[in-house]
């Protein structure tokens, strides 16, 4: 991940903030409408099974190397994250032994990998497609996705690098289909970014997934501004064609003193935004969403974004965002833990409705393995003033809740900016009551 290529336009940020303020001021101008949520089509375990993190297990001397057993392995197990993104390299005895041993350790926890294979334009290391069968074996067969190069620098050599990337991607696809047929591995495109996309040669026929790095910067996850998720997906369509997308890097950094154009948010706002980011990406159809990163790779000054992306700090301390992600996964996981990515089944309709002003309201019903229905609800508004680098007071709104099962109460799980979740009963009378939602996530739980 590099931060100098995600230029967030500050002028548009002002428009985003003004729009959010205008929406807050004008809520009473919208007439009531009724939204039905209860035709349950999402499986909670499927959502959990699509959440991933980026790690760097091969970088010797880093926190991922020094503290693998004591921190990295424990954090992955604690969070119950099952999708891991990791670069893979030509197996070389004495050089890559530790990397693949660690990947096998994670595979024994039930983890699956998106394996990044860099092309010859990378200035550090190339992963030849011919090495994939041996890499697959060394990983214990735990690879689900093979990616082309990570953010290939096509602009660095426009006459040469686009062709190198194209040839490498074609060879990756051919190798997987010829030598790893029957494994179910999906081949994802390189993660082209910004101006590089315009130089990329068409990859249709060599990819099953378009590979996105849609960092929102200081924008909220549902933004219509430069960080808009749909904009990243649309930009890759001419390269990959109409295939499904995966998000292999996304997230927020908290380097408040940075002078980078990739603007920060506070830790409190990151904890507010990240559960929304994961849910929003899932409901937008992303096949995977990998947060960047598990533990901050560097411990440089507060002005360095690369030192402030981790769910764990560089020193290994859990952040509020770490706690928020862990609690989100625990709430949606089956009672016995995450079930990977089970086949989606259409559950019986549950006639759950909300009535009121639904501008900027996001949410959908999920069926958990124990039969409970979860309805996450939130307002997709900005909570951050990028000029003053302060949080905006959460905007609250009341909606009438209607449950055709005529319950006396439901449980509301309310997320806070410290990464905590408070469970409270919402009283209903013959299935009807009032709920309050805000730009902090609330998950309603309807018992089986």
């Amino acid at each position: 991940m590099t931060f100098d290529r995600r230029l967030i336009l500050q002028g548009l940020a002002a428009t985003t903030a003004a729009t959010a303020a205008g929406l807050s001021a004008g809520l009473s101008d919208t007439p009531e409408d009724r939204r039905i949520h209860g035709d349950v089509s999402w499986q909670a375990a499927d959502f959990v099974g699509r959440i991933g993190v980026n790690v760097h297990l091969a970088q010797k001397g880093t926190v991922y190397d020094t503290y693998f057993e004591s921190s990295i392995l424990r954090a992955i197990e604690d969070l119950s994250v099952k999708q891991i993104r990791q670069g893979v390299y030509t197996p070389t005895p004495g050089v890559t032994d530790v990397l693949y041993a660690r990947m096998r350790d994670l595979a024994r926890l039930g983890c699956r990998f998106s394996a990044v294979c860099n092309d010859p334009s990378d200035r550090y290391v190339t992963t030849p497609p011919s090495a994939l069968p041996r890499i697959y074996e060394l990983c214990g067969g735990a690879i689900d996705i093979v990616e082309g190069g990570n953010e290939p620098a096509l602009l660095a050599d426009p006459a040469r690098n686009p062709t190198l990337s194209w040839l490498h991607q074609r060879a990756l696809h051919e190798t997987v289909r010829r030598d790893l047929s029957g494994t179910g591995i999906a081949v994802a495109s390189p993660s082209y970014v910004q101006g590089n996309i315009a130089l990329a040669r068409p990859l249709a026929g060599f990819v099953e997934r378009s590979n996105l790095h849609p960092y929102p910067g200081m924008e909220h996850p549902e933004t219509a501004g430069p960080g808009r998720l749909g904009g990243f997906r649309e930009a890759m369509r001419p390269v990959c064609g109409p295939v499904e997308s995966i998000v292999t890097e996304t997230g927020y950094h908290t380097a408040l003193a940075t002078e980078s154009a990739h603007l920060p948010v506070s830790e409190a706002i990151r904890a507010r935004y990240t559960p929304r980011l994961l849910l929003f990406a899932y409901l937008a159809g992303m096949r995977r969403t990998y947060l960047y990163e598990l533990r901050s790779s560097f411990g440089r000054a507060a002005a360095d974004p690369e030192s402030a992306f981790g769910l764990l700090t560089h020193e290994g301390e859990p952040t509020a965002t770490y706690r928020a992600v862990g609690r989100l996964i625990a709430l949606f996981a089956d009672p016995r833990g995450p079930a990977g990515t089970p086949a989606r089944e259409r559950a019986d309709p549950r006639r759950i409705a909300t009535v009121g002003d639904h501008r900027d309201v996001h949410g959908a019903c999920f069926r958990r393995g124990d039969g409970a229905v979860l309805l996450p609800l939130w307002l997709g508004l900005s909570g951050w003033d990028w000029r003053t680098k302060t949080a905006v007071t959460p905007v609250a709104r009341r909606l009438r809740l209607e449950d055709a099962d005529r319950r006396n109460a439901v449980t509301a799980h309310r997320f806070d900016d410290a990464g905590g979740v408070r469970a409270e009963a919402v009283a209903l009378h013959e299935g009807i009551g009032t709920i309050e939602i805000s730009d902090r996530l609330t998950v309603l739980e309807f018992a089986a």
Side-chain angles (χ1 to χ4, degrees):
M1 198 284 300
T2 57
F3 64 86
D4 59 342
R5 73 334 183 245
R6 287 186 304 279
L7 299 177
I8 304 300
L9 303 180
Q10 297 186 6
L12 286 177
T15 302
T16 301
T19 300
L23 288 172
S24 301
L27 293 178
S28 61
D29 297 332
T30 298
E32 284 191 345
D33 65 275
R34 191 168 189 271
R35 181 177 295 181
I36 305 296
H37 301 277
D39 198 7
V40 182
S41 57
W42 306 107
Q43 296 296 322
D46 186 54
F47 166 60
V48 169
R50 295 193 194 186
I51 297 172
V53 292
N54 279 260
V55 297
H56 308 287
L57 304 180
Q59 296 181 2
K60 293 184 178 180
T62 68
V63 293
Y64 288 95
D65 177 38
T66 305
Y67 304 108
F68 175 74
E69 288 82 7
S70 62
S71 174
I72 304 305
L73 194 64
R74 289 184 181 181
I76 290 172
E77 188 170 16
D78 178 52
L79 288 171
S80 291
V81 171
K82 299 301 182 186
Q83 301 296 338
I84 309 296
R85 184 175 185 248
Q86 168 65 44
V88 295
Y89 312 101
T90 302
T92 306
V95 177
T96 59
D97 294 347
V98 171
L99 167 63
Y100 294 116
R102 288 172 175 173
M103 293 179 76
R104 291 194 298 275
D105 287 341
L106 290 171
R108 283 189 283 272
L109 294 179
C111 294
R112 311 291 295 179
F113 294 96
S114 183
V116 186
C117 302
N118 286 329
D119 63 57
S121 71
D122 187 273
R123 58 179 175 169
Y124 297 112
V125 65
T126 296
T127 311
S130 59
L132 277 178
R134 179 57 179 156
I135 290 171
Y136 180 80
E137 180 183 352
L138 289 172
C139 293
I143 295 175
D144 281 348
I145 299 171
V146 168
E147 303 176 34
N150 182 64
E151 301 182 358
L154 305 188
L155 282 168
D157 189 345
R160 174 175 176 268
N161 287 355
T163 297
L164 289 178
S165 178
W166 184 85
L167 289 170
H168 186 258
Q169 186 67 31
R170 184 180 69 175
L172 279 179
H173 189 267
E174 290 175 349
T175 299
V176 170
R177 294 295 157 255
R178 181 185 64 243
D179 300 331
L180 294 169
S181 62
T183 62
I185 292 175
V187 180
S189 73
S191 48
Y192 298 123
V193 294
Q194 288 189 333
N196 290 289
I197 295 176
L199 294 176
R201 294 180 57 176
L203 297 175
F206 305 143
V207 296
E208 286 88 44
R209 304 282 187 270
S210 66
N211 187 349
L212 314 180
H213 284 186
Y215 285 92
M218 75 338 185
E219 297 178 272
H220 54 295
E222 311 81 8
T223 181
R228 181 175 67 92
L229 174 59
F232 288 87
R233 178 164 49 186
E234 291 156 13
M236 283 292 284
R237 190 176 294 272
V239 178
C240 298
V243 297
E244 293 183 298
S245 298
I246 58 174
V247 172
T248 57
E249 286 187 22
T250 190
Y252 294 90
H253 77 79
T254 59
L256 295 178
T258 186
E259 296 181 359
S260 166
H262 185 173
L263 298 179
V265 297
S266 68
E267 182 56 42
I269 291 299
R270 187 168 73 134
R272 187 187 305 182
Y273 280 175
T274 302
R276 286 165 44 184
L277 177 70
L278 292 169
L279 283 161
F280 182 74
Y282 180 86
L283 294 174
M286 299 298 104
R287 294 291 299 174
R288 293 279 192 281
T289 301
Y290 297 84
L291 296 174
Y292 191 88
E293 60 180 314
L294 180 62
R295 181 167 170 167
S296 290
S297 293
F298 304 102
R300 299 189 286 246
D304 178 37
E306 297 295 329
S307 299
F309 276 101
L311 297 178
L312 298 171
T313 67
H314 183 68
E315 295 71 32
E317 294 299 316
T319 63
T321 305
Y322 177 97
R323 292 188 290 272
V325 170
R327 287 176 170 91
L328 179 72
I329 291 173
L331 181 57
F332 278 74
D334 286 347
R336 293 188 301 273
T341 53
R344 183 179 301 166
E345 297 178 359
R346 193 170 183 81
D348 294 334
R350 301 289 293 271
R351 296 186 302 279
I352 300 168
T354 50
V355 182
D357 179 1
H358 284 93
R359 280 182 298 177
D360 302 299
V361 174
H362 295 265
C365 280
F366 291 76
R367 173 77 70 180
R368 201 167 58 195
D370 59 358
V373 171
L374 301 175
L375 173 56
L377 291 169
W378 73 94
L379 298 176
L381 299 174
S382 174
W384 179 244
D385 186 332
W386 66 273
R387 295 185 192 86
T388 62
K389 297 181 181 178
T390 57
V392 176
T393 302
V395 177
R397 190 180 306 168
R398 289 184 176 273
L399 297 173
R400 186 168 77 248
L401 177 65
E402 299 177 353
D403 175 17
D405 284 347
R406 301 169 69 89
R407 300 170 191 272
N408 292 322
V410 298
T411 301
H413 301 272
R414 300 195 181 279
F415 285 65
D416 62 37
D417 293 350
V421 180
R422 183 182 76 258
E424 61 182 42
V426 177
L428 305 178
H429 177 66
E430 295 187 349
I432 297 176
T434 301
I435 58 168
E436 184 176 273
I437 63 171
S438 74
D439 58 327
R440 289 173 174 154
L441 176 65
T442 293
V443 180
L444 301 179
E445 180 179 355
F446 299 80

